Amino acid sequence: MINLSPEQHNIVNAHIGIPMQVLASAGSGKTRVLIERVRHIIEHTKKDGVIAITFTNKATREMLARLNDIEGLEERCWVITIHSVAQRILDQYGYTLGLPSELHIYERNIDRKTVFMQSLRENSIDVDAFLNVPDENTKKDRERIIQNYMDQFSIVKRELLNEEEVKQKYISNKNFWMIFQAYQKALLESGGIDFDDILVYAHRILLEQQWCGEIYRAKYKHVCVDEAQDLNRAQYGFIKALCGDKIKSVMMVGDPNQMIYGFNGSSHDYLCQQFVKDFNPDKFELKKNYRSSKAVIHLANKLKPGSQVESDFAFNGRSHIKALQDEETEAIWICNKINELLQEKINCEIEGEISLNNMVVIARNRFVFQTLEKCLKEKNIPYSLKKGENQVEPSSTVRKVFDLAIRLRLNPKDWVDGKKLCAVLKIAIPDEWGEENLLQEFANDTLNSDIPFPKIQADLLKAIQNLNLDQPNILKLCDDFETSIKTLISDSSHEVDGELERSLQELQDLRRSWHTFRRKGIGESLSSFLNAIALGQLTTEYTLFGLTLSTVHTMKGLEEEIVFLMGMCKGVFPDYRACTEQEIEEECNNVFVAVTRSRRWIYITYPRYRKMPWGDTKVQSPSPFIVKMQS
């Protein structure tokens, strides 16, 4: 048994079967407690299954790694993201709602917009005239209108609003419900759903088809939810429907001070109020920060009074808040401080040698890094920009053709990706969609197309047309086309260019993704593979090189020995759009999260002047959170 504090021990060893609310502050061992609670349940029950719900694939991997010493873990414990659980229910029981058997997830915003545009056309709205205007500024306004509709559609789904609630909410737009329904109809007619629909439809299945939920509840008697402060209405509703009236052993773990996804409809009210009302849980609290130094905890308590308690063995640490003349001076100061720390090399407070690998620079958004990145390059300091779990867009024609063609192979009605494929291949768009042998026709047209290596692309289309959808041999496909490309490269009469090299690299990425897919046991079919990619389940954990640059949201759940928090001026942090008391409170949560990513040392900076996008230089006020931390 891993060493636990008395407070952690009480949670892990609480009576099995009770609902539990655990409010755990940053660095208090939240993940450890959740993992050990899962272990305790498995070891002290005979057959009970546990569902451990996370919000990121990274958290899922970490939890599985720390539980891998349990015999028969896969049979007893299902560690999975909330959208992946919902997707599994859709795959198995979507037919009960009349959904197509092969549902494609439109995870890209641009694809959702395309479907929306089509839904407007089908309802006799002239969107071409609406968007294709000569005045560039007016066109941007039109784009904002379209994006606003997409955002409102997401709100409708995340809040699980019915027709009456929608009409009341959008009372000034009498056509909103009709436009929303048209969008939903267009999605389904193209054989797809958007990312928000995954939870909406899965929730409906659990409510309307009670027997579907009973199948899960027969095996899984316990549910543990990580980062429960980030639940929105649809997510909480889905979990509640999954539990039904039978599962009372529900453990919600989270920290209200780290709720930073309000833009996604998240609210700590579901953890702190709704869960208490629905389940009447036993309440536990963890405040002692075992991760951070006294200096870091001091700043955290300035932001959130009483939120953190020092551990008995906490290092003193370092904290420094500095105002600089402008963004360039700020960037230079950070670079000089980094080099100064590297010269220090060894310090008893830092685990291992001080290096770029145990430092991170955090900012409210990625645009804050622009001046710093130039300075890092000038001073030859290597760095990497940390990205989220979204898949990287392919760059080679081969991989673009593969990604789009498998979508069309699975769903010949998918005109959204079909038009994209035609654009990549530089061929004419067909008059109708739905033809089963469409890829074969595209292959014939491609041979006469002005694209790189048309025969390779045509052969790839034919190979995808002939794939077995239930058990596709992706590895053979990769082998065949790697061989073809290497033959082209070895041909002395053929000049090797970047296109061929990128094609090989991205085919190797595809091979790795397929290996990960099969190793995880997510499924066997081409459809399951495509959905696993869309849900980020196959994202490779890349090793970042040099200094890490990260936004607050991307850094959530992670930590580093040394943290730089930059750009701390009013209008940047807090964001200029944060106006209400609730929005300002969430911005404070963002700062709290950023500060508590530091294990030992933290340096906070802001410029007194900033250059605006339109060229003017403007005086900056320090962030009100700077004022709080200095009080």
Side-chain angles (χ1 to χ4, degrees):
M1 164 67 77
I2 194 169
N3 290 331
L4 298 170
S5 71
E7 295 84 2
Q8 293 170 339
H9 184 273
N10 290 340
I11 297 169
V12 170
N13 294 282
H15 180 71
I16 293 176
I18 63 169
M20 300 169 65
Q21 179 206 60
V22 181
L23 303 183
S25 191
S28 64
K30 169 182 64 69
T31 304
R32 172 190 289 187
V33 163
L34 190 145
I35 289 171
E36 292 308 314
R37 178 63 176 174
V38 170
R39 186 190 303 277
H40 179 78
I41 292 171
I42 292 175
E43 291 178 350
H44 290 82
T45 59
K46 289 185 178 179
K47 295 182 180 179
D48 288 8
V50 183
I51 300 179
I53 294 177
T54 69
F55 280 84
T56 66
N57 292 292
K58 183 182 183 302
T60 299
R61 291 192 295 269
E62 180 184 348
M63 196 174 293
L64 284 170
R66 290 165 69 171
L67 288 169
N68 68 357
D69 59 327
I70 297 178
E71 187 175 345
L73 176 67
E74 291 184 5
E75 286 298 314
R76 299 282 305 279
C77 184
W78 193 15
V79 183
I80 193 166
T81 66
I82 190 167
H83 281 90
S84 296
V85 179
Q87 182 61 41
R88 188 77 61 91
I89 291 171
L90 279 189
D91 287 344
Q92 293 177 318
Y93 308 114
Y95 69 88
T96 64
L97 298 181
L99 297 175
S101 58
E102 298 288 358
L103 271 177
H104 164 60
I105 302 170
Y106 289 117
E107 74 274 20
R108 300 182 185 95
N109 196 40
I110 190 171
D111 294 342
R112 295 172 63 226
K113 286 182 178 180
T114 303
V115 174
F116 177 50
M117 241 58 103
Q118 183 65 18
S119 72
L120 295 176
R121 291 189 187 98
E122 289 172 355
N123 282 271
S124 303
I125 297 174
D126 188 355
V127 293
D128 291 325
F130 185 71
L131 289 177
N132 296 325
V133 291
D135 184 344
E136 190 62 29
N137 292 325
T138 306
K139 187 171 183 179
K140 288 179 181 178
D141 288 340
R142 303 292 196 236
E143 290 287 354
R144 278 194 286 271
I145 292 170
I146 295 297
Q147 184 58 54
N148 182 59
Y149 268 107
M150 305 314 303
D151 293 341
Q152 297 309 311
F153 293 166
S154 287
I155 289 173
V156 168
K157 296 176 186 184
R158 290 167 186 166
E159 294 186 7
L160 296 176
L161 301 181
N162 58 34
E163 181 177 356
E164 184 178 339
E165 290 170 325
V166 168
K167 288 181 176 179
Q168 185 62 37
K169 185 177 181 71
Y170 301 100
I171 195 167
S172 62
N173 185 348
K174 295 182 180 180
N175 293 323
F176 186 88
W177 178 253
M178 180 273 290
I179 294 172
F180 173 71
Q181 289 293 89
Y183 170 65
Q184 291 300 106
K185 181 171 179 279
L187 280 172
L188 291 177
E189 286 180 349
S190 69
I193 57 175
D194 65 25
F195 200 75
D196 293 314
D197 283 325
I198 298 174
L199 281 169
V200 172
Y201 284 124
H203 180 250
R204 271 188 60 192
I205 290 170
L206 291 173
L207 291 183
E208 297 176 13
Q209 311 293 331
Q210 290 288 326
W211 59 273
C212 296
E214 291 298 335
I215 291 172
Y216 287 93
R217 292 188 281 271
K219 179 174 182 179
Y220 299 104
K221 311 296 184 185
H222 313 270
V223 174
C224 297
V225 183
D226 193 14
E227 303 286 6
Q229 79 278 347
D230 290 326
L231 291 168
N232 60 30
R233 185 178 176 186
Q235 292 163 345
Y236 179 79
F238 171 75
I239 292 170
K240 187 180 175 186
L242 183 63
C243 293
D245 295 328
K246 290 190 175 179
I247 299 180
K248 303 298 182 184
S249 179
V250 182
M251 179 185 187
M252 292 262 189
V253 184
D255 179 10
N257 291 328
Q258 296 187 66
M259 198 292 290
I260 62 174
Y261 292 100
F263 60 86
N264 200 26
S266 301
S267 171
H268 55 63
D269 289 348
Y270 296 105
L271 166 65
C272 298
Q273 296 178 26
Q274 196 63 49
F275 177 56
V276 173
K277 179 182 176 182
D278 292 336
F279 288 85
N280 189 27
D282 284 13
K283 299 177 182 178
F284 302 85
E285 195 168 13
L286 295 173
K287 283 190 173 183
K288 189 170 286 188
N289 187 328
Y290 296 95
R291 174 172 72 209
S292 301
S293 66
K294 293 177 182 178
V296 172
I297 292 171
H298 175 74
L299 292 181
N301 278 329
K302 288 284 187 178
L303 292 165
K304 301 285 183 176
S307 64
Q308 301 257 287
V309 175
E310 295 174 4
S311 73
D312 297 334
F313 306 101
F315 287 106
N316 288 327
R318 299 178 188 175
S319 67
H320 190 68
I321 298 176
K322 190 166 183 64
L324 284 309
Q325 179 67 13
D326 53 30
E327 291 166 292
E328 186 175 346
T329 311
E330 181 187 29
I332 292 170
W333 189 90
I334 291 172
C335 290
N336 289 341
K337 177 58 70 172
I338 288 169
N339 282 325
E340 179 186 316
L341 295 176
L342 292 174
Q343 290 297 316
E344 192 172 338
K345 288 189 178 179
I346 300 293
N347 187 287
C348 63
E349 290 194 339
I350 302 297
E351 187 175 332
E353 185 174 322
I354 298 172
S355 72
L356 294 176
N357 294 328
N358 53 27
M359 299 181 193
V360 61
V361 184
I362 301 176
R364 178 63 179 84
N365 60 64
R366 60 186 176 87
F367 303 108
V368 177
F369 294 129
Q370 290 178 347
T371 305
L372 177 63
E373 288 188 72
K374 292 177 185 176
C375 191
L376 290 169
K377 289 173 183 175
E378 288 170 2
K379 292 184 177 292
N380 296 316
I381 299 175
Y383 70 92
S384 300
L385 186 62
K386 185 171 181 57
K387 298 180 180 178
E389 294 193 336
N390 294 334
Q391 65 184 99
V392 178
E393 292 291 325
S395 60
S396 70
T397 306
V398 164
R399 185 60 195 270
K400 287 177 183 176
V401 169
F402 175 85
D403 283 9
L404 295 168
I406 62 169
R407 293 168 189 260
L408 202 58
R409 173 76 171 88
L410 285 166
N411 177 18
K413 293 180 180 179
D414 180 9
W415 56 269
V416 177
D417 290 305
K419 287 183 176 180
K420 285 186 186 178
L421 181 58
C422 290
V424 171
L425 296 171
K426 297 183 180 180
I427 60 174
I429 296 172
D431 295 330
E432 293 184 1
W433 300 94
E435 174 63 46
E436 288 296 328
N437 293 318
L438 203 54
L439 293 181
Q440 179 63 55
E441 295 177 17
F442 284 4
N444 296 335
D445 294 342
T446 298
L447 289 173
N448 299 316
S449 173
D450 180 26
I451 59 169
F453 317 108
K455 187 176 186 307
I456 290 278
Q457 318 302 342
D459 288 346
L460 179 57
L461 290 167
K462 293 175 187 175
I464 292 171
Q465 179 69 61
N466 294 323
L467 275 179
N468 183 318
L469 297 183
D470 294 326
Q471 292 184 316
N473 196 336
I474 297 296
L475 296 182
K476 183 178 185 302
L477 184 147
C478 289
D479 286 341
D480 290 346
F481 285 90
E482 283 175 2
T483 300
S484 297
I485 292 169
K486 286 176 181 177
T487 300
L488 277 176
I489 291 174
S490 64
D491 185 352
S492 58
S493 65
H494 203 293
E495 183 181 351
V496 178
D497 66 2
E499 171 67 24
L500 293 176
E501 291 181 10
R502 286 195 301 274
S503 297
L504 278 180
Q505 290 168 352
E506 293 189 338
L507 280 171
Q508 289 164 4
D509 289 341
L510 175 62
R511 181 193 297 277
R512 282 192 290 269
S513 293
W514 180 259
H515 277 304
T516 302
F517 171 71
R518 299 297 290 126
R519 186 182 71 249
K520 286 187 172 184
I522 300 171
E524 297 181 351
S525 70
L526 194 61
S527 176
S528 297
F529 180 53
L530 194 65
N531 284 334
I533 293 173
L535 291 169
Q537 295 173 320
L538 310 182
T539 305
T540 305
E541 190 73 13
Y542 291 106
T543 302
L544 296 175
F545 177 69
L547 178 72
T548 298
L549 309 184
S550 175
T551 65
V552 180
H553 289 89
T554 306
M555 197 64 190
K556 178 77 181 294
L558 304 175
E559 60 193 63
E560 203 49 86
E561 296 285 301
I562 303 167
V563 167
F564 291 84
L565 177 55
M566 69 179 297
M568 286 294 293
C569 45
K570 191 175 181 180
V572 176
F573 213 159
D575 186 271
Y576 69 95
R577 292 165 293 186
C579 300
T580 67
E581 184 178 341
Q582 182 178 341
E583 289 167 340
I584 294 296
E585 183 62 24
E586 185 169 335
E587 288 296 291
C588 188
N589 290 351
N590 273 288
V591 182
F592 180 82
V593 168
V595 168
T596 55
R597 296 315 90 198
S598 172
R599 290 169 54 85
R600 300 292 181 261
W601 301 344
I602 184 164
Y603 301 90
I604 304 174
T605 59
Y606 69 93
R608 290 194 177 98
Y609 293 88
R610 282 179 60 230
K611 191 172 184 179
M612 299 293 100
W614 52 89
D616 291 349
T617 298
K618 188 175 179 181
V619 177
Q620 299 296 296
S621 301
S623 165
F625 306 125
I626 287 277
V627 177
K628 259 191 172 186
M629 288 186 281
Q630 289 181 320
S631 63

